[in-house]
Structures are given as C-alpha cells and as structure tokens.
Amino acid sequence: MKITMLLKSHKLLIVLVAILAGIVAVHAAPAATKRGRSPLPLPMQHNENIPVKIDAAARERPLLFSQTVDLSSIDPKRGNVQWSRLVFDPERTVLRMDLFGRRGAGENQSGGILKITNLLHGSVQWLNAYTLKQWNFRSAFFNGDKLQVELLSNPVLPIPGTVSTVVSSVVVNHERGNVADPIVLPPPASICSTADPRKASTDARVARLFPLGCTAWIINDRTGCMLTAGHCMGVMDAADLVVQTNVPLSSVVTISGTKVGCTRHPPPQFQYPVDPASIQYNVTGGVKPDSFLGAEDWAYFGARHNPNTGLKIREAAGGQAFTLATVDDATGAIAAGQGIDAGAKLTVTGYGTVRDADRKQLEQVQQSASGPLVGFHDDAHVGHRADSEPGCSGSPMIVGDVAIGIHTHGGCQAGPKGVRIG
C-alpha cells in the first residue's frame, strides 16, 4: 500500500505518500521555500566531473572557433561512457549580446551563439548569452563521448569584453553506468511479486528529473509549473537539474556478468533547465505509517524554455497538463462525485529503476502501473497498490485522468494480503 499526497484543485490540496502532506495555493513560482532534507536514498546517477584542458589561443578568437571535447583523448582509460555534459566557466565565457533584447530560438537566437553538436548522433543544442545563463552555464545531456563546441559571434554587435568560450569540465556517467538496485531495504522495494507489471508509456505531461532520479509532472496552473516529491529537492545543486521528455530506451551492458541499464538522453530540444529561484518544497515527518500523518513531502517548481525551440515544456506538450482533483472547501477532503473512492483504479506513471535483468532497457524510462486505491488515511494521505520503484518518487497519482496526489514512497510488507506500504 502506497501513501501518497493529494492535491487541491488549483489550490493544490496536500495529500501525501508516506511523508507527504500539504501543498498550498500557488499560481506562479515566487521566491523559493526550502526546508528539510531527503530521508531516502535516490537513484541518482554516479557522475564524474572531468577537467578539460582549453586551447588559450582558440579561446580568444573574436569571431569563430571550434573545439572538440573527446573523452577518449581526455581520459583514454575510461570505459563505458554512455553520456556526457559540458560545463562552461561562467566568468570566462563571454558572448556578444543583443542590446535590444531580441531573442529568437535555435540558430536564430540573437547575439553570439554556441553550437554544441553530438558527433555520435548529430543532435545539436543552440545557446546564446541569455539561454546559456538559463541553463546555468551547462549544456544538455548528450549520448556518447564526443562533442563539438562552436562559437558563432555576431561581429555587428558590441563586445562586452573579450569574446570567449571556456569549457571547464565535462560530466559523464560513472564507469559502471547506473548502479543496479540503488535503494537497499528499508525502505523496501515496491514490486512485491516476481514479475514487474509496469508497462512502457508515453504521457507527455510526465517528465524525468535528471540527474537526480525522480519524476515530475505538469499541472494546469497559469504558468505550467510542475510538481514532484519534496525529498527530490535539496539533495544536490538545483543548477544541475534538467527536466527531460521523450526519454529513449536505456543502453544495456554486461559488467562482471550482470546486466546494467545505462540511461540515455533525448535530443536537446526535449530538455529544460530547472529555474532554481522557482523551487518551493518541504520535507517533514517520517516514513512509517505511525509518523506520516501531518508530514509533508512536496515540491513545486518551474522550468525554463528550451533554447532550440523557444517553447516551454507545457507548450511542447501541446498544452497538455494534469487537472487536479476538486476539494471540498468546507471539509478539506476530496469532493464527492469524482469517482475517487476506495477500490477505484489508480495509476502511477514515472521513471523508476528496473530490477528484472530482461527489462534493463527500461531503466529510468517512463513506465506506468495501475492498482486499487486502498483508502484515505486522513484528508491529506491515501494508500494505493500500484507498483513502483525508486525513481518513481514525485510521480502523479492518477484516477481517471485526474491527478489526486504525489507519489513519494512505496514498499512491501509481509502479511496475509501482502499489503504494500509507503
């Protein structure tokens, strides 16, 4: 039985999963509210940040230069590089800016432009001074180990100093890829039978929060912001967080006789940097049934627009967003007449890890599972039996096509009915 956070329609009613609770009325993303720490280990990637040597002469060219970042040259002994990401020096990366504020998208962005090309697959990310800052001086995640950086500088615009681009480091996956079964009991796993019933899904409203290893989803507020679990925030620098959609299947490699699923990334046009200033979250209480009442585990945040397309994530999803369950203002409970009752079919859609060796290609790829809504522990907490795994933290809890909560915890408890508790 999973405990999950209920959400108030347009007011974001608090209803949580094992330590979930209140979500307050929010229609924008003001200054951040940051409290608490994650009580759980997360299926976070084991990243390694490798320094990159820069050619000083190339860096100082005023109009155009090209640099190839090849991991096989930087670290020849490193193996199994599945993905990479560039980190730019914010002090020494200077691009020409359009003083009139004209922006555009993709290669039509104004001012000087960085063109980052994946030499393995040919996918490209375009960034100018404005969008590079929004991306916190980091690139999108690219599959493979060889990237090309090109500076295309507009000579008509004034120079705010010496035009330059400095790649300070490249972040890659750990040599062993993704660590298998990263969460050790307790908390227990949430697949309580020998078979994993989750199925691959393609809900455009649900995204992967990377490299943290959580799930986030779009809601129908004015600004198209997102919800996730509170324990997914505050555990790493928010500037590193990227929301990803259209996530491809993971690579499967065998290491010491064990199959490992290594996450892969969508093209840059499907990646959106989290706005650190927008994050509001809270994590209080415990993870056991006698301690979750009154607890909170929620997060609300916004993502920047994509520099290649000029679209925000809800726009790219065709305007799709989750409608939140209506709440009775007088009682604070889910309003009657919505079909949100014990026994109703409840679905959890998220980017969880995979234990089955034959399904490792679905490691942190979107999957869905359904089960019965068990019941409400109070006005803010509900139990369910939809299967999940680590990485599903933050997933929407869906009845019909209405989101009633944020999934945060799961597990299996021995007993006459094999009840799952979160």
Side-chain angles (χ1 to χ4, degrees):
M1 179 169 58
K2 315 278 180 3
I3 316 284
T4 329
M5 178 178 278
L6 300 177
L7 307 175
K8 192 169 186 178
S9 178
H10 300 296
K11 297 181 181 177
L12 303 181
L13 166 69
I14 33 185
V15 182
L16 131 127
V17 193
I19 75 172
L20 241 248
I23 294 187
V24 295
V26 274
H27 294 287
T33 300
K34 302 180 180 180
R35 301 192 296 272
R37 299 288 294 178
S38 173
L40 295 179
L42 296 169
M44 193 184 303
Q45 306 295 316
H46 283 231
N47 304 336
E48 296 198 12
N49 202 317
I50 302 172
V52 176
K53 294 182 179 179
I54 304 301
D55 182 343
R59 182 177 67 236
E60 295 172 358
R61 292 181 187 175
L63 295 180
L64 174 68
F65 82 85
S66 177
Q67 177 188 1
T68 298
V69 180
D70 185 350
L71 265 296
S72 63
S73 299
I74 296 173
D75 189 354
K77 296 182 179 179
R78 176 169 297 276
N80 190 31
V81 177
Q82 296 290 326
W83 54 262
S84 50
R85 185 188 200 189
L86 301 181
V87 180
F88 295 89
D89 186 320
E91 300 298 327
R92 295 185 292 164
T93 298
V94 181
L95 304 179
R96 296 177 187 264
M97 298 180 65
D98 187 338
L99 300 181
F100 295 99
R102 294 168 295 200
R103 294 179 184 171
E107 60 184 311
N108 295 317
Q109 293 178 69
S110 62
I113 295 178
L114 287 178
K115 179 184 179 182
I116 307 168
T117 304
N118 181 346
L119 296 181
L120 178 63
H121 298 296
S123 59
V124 175
Q125 182 182 31
W126 303 89
L127 297 167
N128 66 1
Y130 177 76
T131 52
L132 180 63
K133 184 176 181 180
Q134 286 193 327
W135 274 79
N136 303 296
F137 291 90
R138 293 157 171 82
S139 75
F141 290 93
F142 290 89
N143 298 314
D145 63 355
K146 187 180 294 185
L147 304 175
Q148 183 182 53
V149 182
E150 296 173 282
L151 172 58
L152 309 177
S153 187
N154 186 338
V156 176
L157 297 175
I159 303 175
T162 301
V163 173
S164 62
T165 300
V166 178
V167 180
S168 59
S169 64
V170 57
V171 179
V172 301
N173 60 287
H174 188 274
E175 242 179 331
R176 290 185 61 85
N178 302 332
V179 178
D181 300 337
I183 290 186
V184 181
L185 303 182
S190 307
I191 303 298
C192 301
S193 60
T194 56
D196 186 343
R198 294 175 297 162
K199 303 296 182 183
S201 54
T202 56
D203 193 325
R205 301 169 295 180
V206 185
R208 184 170 72 182
L209 192 57
F210 198 88
L212 192 58
C214 280
T215 300
W217 42 288
I218 309 168
I219 61 173
N220 60 347
D221 66 348
R222 287 187 310 192
T223 53
C225 284
M226 308 186 77
L227 294 176
T228 189
H231 68 259
C232 293
M233 296 295 179
V235 296
M236 67 181 299
D237 187 350
D240 287 323
L241 297 179
V242 173
V243 177
Q244 300 179 328
T245 60
N246 292 282
V247 174
L249 295 177
S250 295
S251 299
V252 181
V253 298
T254 301
I255 300 176
S256 302
T258 300
K259 288 186 177 180
V260 175
C262 298
T263 51
R264 299 176 66 247
H265 301 281
Q269 60 264 34
F270 301 117
Q271 301 187 41
Y272 307 82
V274 170
D275 179 2
S278 73
I279 299 172
Q280 302 172 63
Y281 75 99
N282 199 9
V283 185
T284 61
V287 298
K288 296 181 179 180
D290 59 355
S291 63
F292 72 80
L293 295 181
E296 298 189 29
D297 190 350
W298 58 268
Y300 170 78
F301 68 95
R304 299 286 193 179
H305 73 274
N306 183 278
N308 283 18
T309 65
L311 301 177
K312 288 197 171 183
I313 188 168
R314 185 166 66 178
E315 295 173 326
Q320 298 180 75
F322 278 101
T323 297
L324 305 179
T326 301
V327 172
D328 187 324
D329 290 330
T331 65
I334 292 289
Q338 301 179 81
I340 306 173
D341 305 300
K345 178 182 176 181
L346 184 147
T347 299
V348 171
T349 297
Y351 292 79
T353 56
V354 173
R355 296 172 182 270
D356 188 344
D358 294 331
R359 302 178 72 250
K360 286 295 184 179
Q361 74 276 11
L362 294 173
E363 178 81 12
Q364 294 189 53
V365 174
Q366 189 185 119
Q367 298 184 79
S368 296
S370 298
L373 189 161
V374 175
F376 297 90
H377 299 278
D378 61 14
D379 290 341
H381 303 82
V382 64
H384 68 81
R385 292 179 181 172
D387 284 309
S388 66
E389 278 284 19
C392 290
S393 288
S395 297
M397 187 176 68
I398 311 161
V399 175
D401 199 40
V402 173
I404 71 169
I406 300 174
H407 170 83
T408 62
H409 296 80
C412 305
Q413 181 182 28
K417 297 182 179 179
V419 177
R420 301 171 179 85
I421 289 188

